[in-house]
Amino acid sequence: MTETSKDPSETSEHRTAVSRDLEGRRRTVENFWQGVDTHDWDLVASTLADDFVRVGMRDNAEDTCEGKEAYLRFVSTVTGRMAQHELRSRFTFLSEDGRYAFNEAVESIRPTPTDDLLVMRFANYLELNDEGLIVRLDIFWKTPPYMPPDWITVDATLEREPRGD
């Protein structure tokens, strides 16, 4: 570079474009959580890449969902079976380049009308692709007083044959 030329990343136009892109990526992550909470599956779908992968809280093949359509089928079915479902996003941090997000959420479920309310705190790691869509969700959680029912796994919900780890 010559002394008179500027690094393109230092221009105000570049900084504005990056800021808009980051805001769009933040909105994508927020829309994902809002859609799951309100069961707005079109909103959720608008945030996911076709090759989306969800690694569930059990961290095994049985609770991993691969593909946007499979995930939408899983999450809509499992939440639809519950007597009560609520998901509140507490906060989201976005990496400087907008490719990664960390989110804390609290999910409350009542599997059947006679079950106690189960409140679970999750830390969620998300990856976004070049288009700003979510390609991966990896769920980490604080252990609640009792485990959620086995039918919450992807295999059980989608009636798939169990896969080995």
Side-chain angles (χ1 to χ4, degrees):
M1 272 190 203
T2 66
E3 287 184 22
T4 57
S5 65
K6 285 187 172 181
D7 179 344
S9 67
E10 293 178 9
T11 67
S12 63
E13 293 85 10
H14 176 77
R15 285 190 301 274
T16 300
V18 168
S19 178
R20 270 195 306 268
D21 184 51
L22 288 176
E23 186 54 38
R25 288 167 177 268
R26 179 177 305 286
R27 221 174 8 266
T28 295
V29 174
E30 290 169 356
N31 285 344
F32 172 79
W33 296 114
Q34 178 185 349
V36 173
D37 178 47
T38 61
H39 303 175
D40 182 341
W41 308 123
D42 289 336
L43 182 59
V44 174
S46 74
T47 69
L48 303 177
D50 289 339
D51 58 346
F52 173 77
V53 175
R54 174 230 186 234
V55 179
M57 59 190 175
R58 296 172 192 262
D59 196 29
N60 60 20
E62 179 184 14
D63 200 25
T64 296
C65 195
E66 297 176 349
K68 175 180 178 174
E69 294 308 317
Y71 175 73
L72 290 168
R73 201 168 58 252
F74 161 70
V75 72
S76 63
T77 301
V78 77
T79 58
R81 287 184 185 172
M82 294 182 191
Q84 180 180 347
H85 175 262
E86 185 177 286
L87 180 74
R88 297 287 178 242
S89 174
R90 296 195 55 210
F91 59 83
T92 298
F93 294 109
L94 203 60
S95 65
E96 189 173 307
D97 64 0
R99 295 194 64 83
Y100 306 98
F102 176 82
N103 168 272
E104 182 181 333
V106 177
E107 188 170 32
S108 303
I109 65 170
R110 188 179 313 276
T112 69
T114 59
D115 288 327
D116 289 334
L117 186 66
L118 178 59
V119 179
M120 302 172 285
R121 287 182 48 214
F122 293 91
N124 302 287
Y125 169 77
L126 300 96
E127 294 180 25
L128 290 85
N129 64 14
D130 291 341
E131 290 76 39
L133 296 173
I134 302 168
V135 293
R136 183 178 179 87
L137 167 63
D138 204 344
I139 302 169
F140 300 87
W141 66 311
K142 296 272 190 178
T143 305
Y146 62 92
M147 294 294 286
D150 287 338
W151 59 258
I152 284 180
T153 66
V154 176
D155 281 353
T157 300
L158 299 182
E159 299 176 356
R160 298 188 313 201
E161 288 296 315
R163 300 181 297 170
D165 286 335

